[in-house]
Amino acid sequence: MRARTFPFLPSSRLSLPARALALTSVASLLVFAGCANDGDTQVMAPVVLGMLDTAGPTYDDGQVQMYQVQKSVELPMRQPTGDERPKGQSDPYARPPFNLASDTRITVRFTLTNLDETQHSLELLVDPWNEFVRYVPGLTTDSEDEAEPNFSGIDRFYILPPKGRIEGILTPDDMVELATDLGTAMKLQKTPPAADSAFGGPVLYNRAFNVQNRSSEPDPVLAPYIPKVVAGLVGFDLGLRTYEPAKIAVEIVVDVQDVNGERVVKPGDSDKSIGRPGGTLTPPAAARQ
C-alpha cells in the first residue's frame, strides 16, 4: 500500500490473525516548568514524555508487540471573542477558522534519550489538532487480517545508541505542513475517493502524511484535496513507539511566535485558549477484497 521502513523489523506488516488488539496502560512521565515570554514569542514549559521498560504492550498479536506512550500538548492559541468569530464558509471546515496556520510560527526542539544499556529503535510521533478535530491515525488491516499503523502527522524513525541522546528540531515549515496535511485529511473525509478504488480507505491519508510529501510541491493526486485556507495548529499529541520494551524519553520545548500579535494567549492574560477539540479524525479502513 505504501512505503514504510521499520529498521528493527524484518517486515513493516504486522499479523493480526484474530484481531487481538490488546490496549493496556503505558507509564508516561510529565515535567512542566514555568513559561517565559520574549516579545511576540512564547517559550512554553518543557514537556517530558517517558516510556518504562516494565510497561505492557499497546498492541500484541502473539508475534509482534508494539509499545507506545502519548501525551497531549496544548498550544496557547486564543479563543475568539463573539464579534471575532468568522462567518461564512471555508471548505473543508464547518466554518472559517479563526486561527490560521499563517498567524503563528511554531518551532519544536526535542531531545531523545536512551536510558538503557542497549540500543533501541523508535518512532517519534506528532499528531496534529486544529480548532475542529484531532488526528488519530489508528491501524490499517487488510483481508488477511494483517495490520500496520497508519502514518502519524509527523512520524520519524531514530536509532538511539546505549545511554545515547539525539537532538532535533521541527521547524515552522514542518508545523505549517502538519496543519496543511490535517486540512487535507479533513477534505478527504468530506469527499472521499471510492472505497474500492486504488486511492480508497487510508491510502491518501498516508500519502498526505508521508514525510516525503510537501504541499509546496503538490502531488497531483492530493492537489484537489489541499485546502486554500489552512486552519492553524492549536495543539498536538506527542508520542513514542517501539517494538520492544525500552526505557526511553523525549523532552520538547515549543516556541510560539505570534506573527500578528493577536492569536496567542500571553502569560497572565484572562483570555482562554482554544484547547483540545472534541472531534477526532481517523482514516477509514481499507476495503475488503
Side-chain angles (χ1 to χ4, degrees):
M1 180 180 66
R2 56 191 167 90
R4 185 183 183 91
T5 302
F6 289 78
F8 41 91
L9 288 178
S11 169
S12 66
R13 306 297 298 178
L14 308 180
S15 174
L16 189 61
R19 297 184 182 273
L21 189 60
L23 296 176
T24 59
S25 61
V26 182
S28 61
L29 307 174
L30 287 175
V31 177
F32 295 96
C35 286
N37 181 263
D38 180 15
D40 290 331
T41 300
Q42 282 196 48
V43 181
M44 292 178 56
V47 177
V48 177
L49 174 67
M51 178 184 291
L52 300 177
D53 56 2
T54 55
T58 54
Y59 173 96
D60 188 351
D61 66 4
Q63 297 181 8
V64 174
Q65 294 180 327
M66 182 169 66
Y67 301 81
Q68 187 167 328
V69 289
Q70 183 173 289
K71 180 61 186 178
S72 296
V73 179
E74 181 179 325
L75 300 175
M77 302 306 181
R78 182 175 65 83
Q79 287 186 9
T81 60
D83 57 356
E84 288 179 318
R85 294 186 183 278
K87 297 178 176 61
Q89 297 180 341
S90 183
D91 191 43
Y93 311 110
R95 53 171 172 74
F98 173 68
N99 177 50
L100 302 179
S102 57
D103 288 334
T104 55
R105 289 175 55 82
I106 302 167
T107 305
V108 181
R109 295 174 175 82
F110 64 87
T111 302
L112 296 164
T113 303
N114 184 358
L115 301 172
D116 282 336
E117 299 285 352
T118 56
Q119 174 178 287
H120 289 301
S121 299
L122 63 89
E123 291 174 73
L124 175 66
L125 311 172
V126 178
D127 290 307
W129 317 345
N130 58 28
E131 59 194 85
F132 304 98
V133 296
R134 294 179 289 118
Y135 189 67
V136 180
L139 291 172
T140 292
T141 59
D142 61 20
S143 59
E144 297 179 356
D145 283 335
E146 293 184 331
E148 65 177 328
N150 289 313
F151 282 133
S152 281
I154 292 175
D155 196 329
R156 296 188 179 181
F157 293 84
Y158 296 93
I159 297 177
L160 276 172
K163 296 293 185 178
R165 302 175 70 187
I166 293 176
E167 295 182 349
I169 186 169
L170 304 178
T171 68
D173 285 347
D174 292 330
M175 303 307 280
V176 168
E177 181 65 32
L178 186 60
T180 304
D181 292 344
L182 180 54
T184 302
M186 292 180 70
K187 179 67 173 180
L188 285 165
Q189 184 185 52
K190 187 174 181 180
T191 55
D196 58 353
S197 72
F199 298 125
V203 173
L204 290 189
Y205 293 82
N206 288 315
R207 189 162 175 153
F209 285 115
N210 191 307
V211 67
Q212 296 178 344
N213 171 62
R214 284 284 170 171
S215 55
S216 57
E217 300 176 1
D219 179 329
V221 175
L222 288 173
Y225 298 97
I226 298 174
K228 294 180 180 179
V229 175
V230 177
L233 300 180
V234 302
F236 54 86
D237 291 314
L238 174 69
L240 294 170
R241 181 189 295 143
T242 69
Y243 288 79
E244 61 186 359
K247 189 186 296 184
I248 55 176
V250 59
E251 179 180 18
I252 66 168
V253 176
V254 183
D255 297 353
V256 182
Q257 181 183 1
D258 196 345
V259 174
N260 298 315
E262 299 175 345
R263 290 295 183 267
V264 177
V265 179
K266 295 179 174 60
D269 281 1
S270 59
D271 294 327
K272 293 183 178 180
S273 62
I274 293 174
R276 188 172 187 256
T280 60
L281 191 165
T282 298
R288 291 277 179 170
Q289 301 297 324

